[in-house]
Amino acid sequence: MNALTEPAEAKPSATARPPLVRELLLVVGLFLVYKFGRQLVTGHTPEAYRNAGRVWHWERVLDLPGEGSVQSLLLHGDTLAHLANTYYATVHFPATVAFLVWLYLRRPAHYVWARRILALLTGAALVLHLVFPLAPPRMLAAAGLVDTAKVYGPSVYGPPKTDTLSNQFAAMPSLHFGWALMVAIGLIVATRSRRRWLWLLHPLVTLLVIVGTANHYWMDAMVATALLGIALAVIHLPHRTVTTAGRAQEQLAPAEPKENVLVGAGR
């Protein structure tokens, strides 16, 4: 075989794949802690509405576009509003889980990095939910927005007073957007395709959906972005190994010339 195309000798993986059972227990445990922590905020209804008024005022001071400008696009037809609600209800968790599973199987080093980032982001969000309960814009009369999930369906929330499965006063930061942005960043970093930047469509669509359905303010996404930026600065990106996106380049590396091959051939 020609030396220019012969595969280079495989190197050992720099990062071993974490034990599957341990990872499952860790991820499930973090999820349960987060769900339990969100419930601690329930009952802070007056404070959540006061904070909603403050956020709405801050956005007007900052001259941010009104959330209603996005919602008006969805309200042109029942189908579009229904699709947005469906995206909000069904894409958030499955997309993040699929992202982690793919990294675990194909990019172990990046999996550990991404899991740590998501854990730190989620932990920081939980703390903010506890200290700053916030009613979403669909509950704020001053916003004048439509609860699209209630009107067009499907809805993941019940009436706030009787909904014991979720905390509807945990709008800031938006983990819908924070997780979507991390999924896009993680896939861009872990792959080398020229089209990998299209993954940014996921957080972009998520942003339009969470704002258009009146589940989040612009500032919810802005705070999520800031927290993610801090997490990315604290937890460093792993070095590329043969298990990462550089594998193809490693395999096509020219073979090193061997000594004592065809000695005297030029004599």
Side-chain angles (χ1 to χ4, degrees), residues 189-228:
V189 169
T191 58
R192 297 182 65 85
S193 169
R194 292 181 180 179
R195 292 177 292 179
R196 67 189 186 278
W197 297 99
L198 291 176
W199 286 112
L200 289 173
L201 290 174
H202 176 42
L204 175 59
V205 172
T206 299
L207 176 62
L208 296 178
V209 164
I210 63 175
V211 172
T213 57
N215 282 294
H216 286 282
Y217 306 89
W218 293 113
M219 290 190 69
D220 297 339
M222 293 167 62
V223 172
T225 302
L227 292 177
L228 178 58

Side-chain angles (χ1 to χ4, degrees), residues 233-259:
V234 171
I235 301 177
H236 297 286
L237 180 70
H239 296 293
R240 288 188 181 275
T241 69
V242 292
T243 63
T244 67
R247 178 182 295 172
Q249 281 67 22
E250 289 279 355
Q251 291 180 340
L252 296 178
E256 293 291 338
K258 296 182 179 179
E259 296 182 0

Side-chain angles (χ1 to χ4, degrees), residues 27 31 85-103 118 156 175-176 179-180 183-184 187 199 202 206:
V27 172
F31 174 75
N85 293 326
T86 302
Y87 190 96
Y88 180 86
T90 62
V91 174
H92 176 48
F93 279 107
T96 307
V97 170
F99 164 68
L100 289 174
V101 169
W102 184 84
L103 287 183
L118 287 171
V156 295
L175 283 180
H176 267 77
W179 287 11
V183 167
L187 290 172
W199 286 112
H202 176 42
T206 299

